[in-house]
Amino acid sequence: MRVGFIGLGLMGSGMTNNLQKAGHQLVLHDLRREAAEKLIANGAEWAASPRDVAASAEVVFTSLPGPPEFEAVAAGRNGLIEGMQRGQALFDLSTNSPTVIRRLHKLFADKGAHLLDSPVSGGPAGAASGKMALWISGDEPSYSKYRPVIDAMGDQIFYMGDVGAASVAKLVHNLAGYMVNTALAECFTMGVKAGVDPLLLWKAVRQGANGRRRTFDTLAEHFLPNHYDPARFALKLAHKDVSLATQVGKEMGVPMRLANLTLEEMTEALGRGWQARDSRSSMILQAERAGVKIAVDPEDLRAILRADSNS
């Protein structure tokens, strides 16, 4: 296919290389023409503006730093929307704002074109190797039509439904990772200041129950099915463990902001009379505050985990 692509940075350069290797004819644009020179030498075409990319390609992909850059490329002067044809699709690979995506989706829909948010996860190495996840939401017929192009960029493709859903999923993924990093920094500084060698500490904890699990898989045990009884590990015992850890932090003079907040959550859960419920029952408090009801069919969760274990 004739594939338009805008944004040839660390991520875009890897993805366009894979698209070209897969035999697609590329129409390229970037702030720096030199970023496209190698691809052009191998047969890609250069377009002078985003508008020209849209006018010259069957389908368009963008990989940009964020919402302001995407909005300028998509709907600014000489933007993609000026060159899009009825039925044409734009897949935004950026980590974007779902609010911006949904607003611009309406503008493209008014022209009969389709905007799909398609954020990726895998970093520059994944973009170069093709070992990368793509979360896609928006017009499903467009997703199906251009799936062969998408398959050239990643090996884990997930269709998420209505436009904006994929951007939300990407933000959940990234936010969780950075929050975990912050928590790990707090825990490890406490451990090191309490006298444990950091290498030995890391070697030890990565072989514990939490270290051996995929981060998000634990959600399937209690939080997603909304099932906390019988307890795998009682809340009252977990509260004791966190209390001991925060006490070490106090003794060592280590700030423990997240740990103290965690202890407050668990204490509030104890106040509900949940001592014998599973230790993760304190997660119910956040669901209540958010005003959401989460109760996924356990069999659906088990099917996903089984599929992963067999792949």
Side-chain angles (χ1 to χ4, degrees):
M1 296 186 186
R2 285 181 61 81
V3 177
F5 203 103
I6 300 176
L8 303 175
L10 290 174
M11 297 296 292
S13 59
M15 289 185 277
T16 48
N17 280 331
N18 288 328
L19 287 169
Q20 194 169 64
K21 289 176 184 176
H24 298 291
Q25 176 63 40
L26 298 180
V27 181
L28 307 172
H29 182 76
D30 191 86
L31 290 176
R32 302 176 304 110
R33 182 185 170 108
E34 57 266 28
E37 292 300 337
K38 183 178 178 180
L39 294 162
I40 293 171
N42 289 327
E45 300 175 19
W46 176 258
S49 69
R51 176 183 180 175
D52 292 341
V53 170
S56 303
E58 297 174 58
V59 60
V60 180
F61 292 85
T62 52
S63 178
L64 300 164
E69 294 83 1
F70 173 72
E71 187 158 9
V73 165
R77 185 171 178 270
N78 286 323
L80 288 167
I81 198 167
E82 295 183 12
M84 297 287 287
Q85 305 299 313
R86 179 168 294 277
Q88 196 173 7
L90 163 60
F91 293 79
D92 180 41
L93 305 165
S94 318
T95 299
N96 211 330
S97 159
T99 303
V100 170
I101 285 289
R102 287 164 176 159
R103 174 165 52 82
L104 293 185
H105 171 264
K106 294 178 182 178
L107 294 180
F108 279 77
D110 288 343
K111 285 201 66 172
H114 306 291
L115 169 58
L116 298 90
D117 51 324
S118 314
V120 302
S121 181
S129 68
K131 301 294 185 181
M132 190 171 66
L134 287 90
W135 298 300
I136 302 171
S137 58
D139 182 61
E140 190 168 8
S142 294
Y143 162 76
S144 300
K145 180 178 180 179
Y146 297 109
R147 179 65 191 263
V149 181
I150 297 165
D151 283 336
M153 293 185 284
D155 63 340
Q156 296 291 328
I157 315 299
F158 300 91
Y159 178 71
M160 302 290 297
D162 292 342
V163 69
S167 291
V168 173
K170 178 63 186 296
L171 295 178
V172 168
H173 174 274
N174 286 15
L175 176 61
Y178 294 124
M179 290 179 73
V180 168
N181 288 344
T182 303
L184 288 174
E186 186 172 293
C187 296
F188 269 73
T189 54
M190 181 270 282
V192 171
K193 198 164 184 180
V196 183
D197 178 86
L199 179 60
L200 290 176
L201 180 61
W202 175 69
K203 288 175 66 177
V205 299
R206 66 187 293 268
Q207 297 302 336
N210 291 324
R212 293 173 183 237
R213 297 178 183 178
R214 292 175 62 174
T215 301
F216 294 107
D217 284 2
T218 59
L219 294 175
E221 295 171 1
H222 298 91
F223 180 70
L224 290 176
N226 193 30
H227 183 71
Y228 300 92
D229 305 290
R232 178 171 296 188
F233 189 73
L235 175 64
K236 63 181 178 181
L237 298 176
H239 185 273
K240 177 262 298 180
D241 292 351
V242 176
S243 297
L244 290 172
T246 55
Q247 183 60 38
V248 173
K250 290 177 183 177
E251 294 169 359
M252 295 296 107
V254 177
M256 302 285 284
R257 295 180 181 179
L258 296 181
N260 286 323
L261 179 59
T262 301
L263 183 60
E264 288 179 15
E265 290 285 277
M266 299 173 84
T267 301
E268 183 176 340
L270 285 179
R272 297 282 193 98
W274 298 346
Q275 290 88 340
R277 302 192 78 181
D278 191 81
S279 58
R280 297 186 182 94
S281 59
S282 58
M283 299 170 80
I284 298 171
L285 301 172
Q286 174 61 23
E288 289 179 353
R289 295 186 198 107
V292 297
K293 177 70 173 179
I294 298 174
V296 180
D297 187 328
E299 184 51 43
D300 290 341
L301 295 167
R302 286 191 287 269
I304 291 171
L305 294 173
R306 282 196 300 268
D308 286 347
S309 65
N310 293 331
S311 61

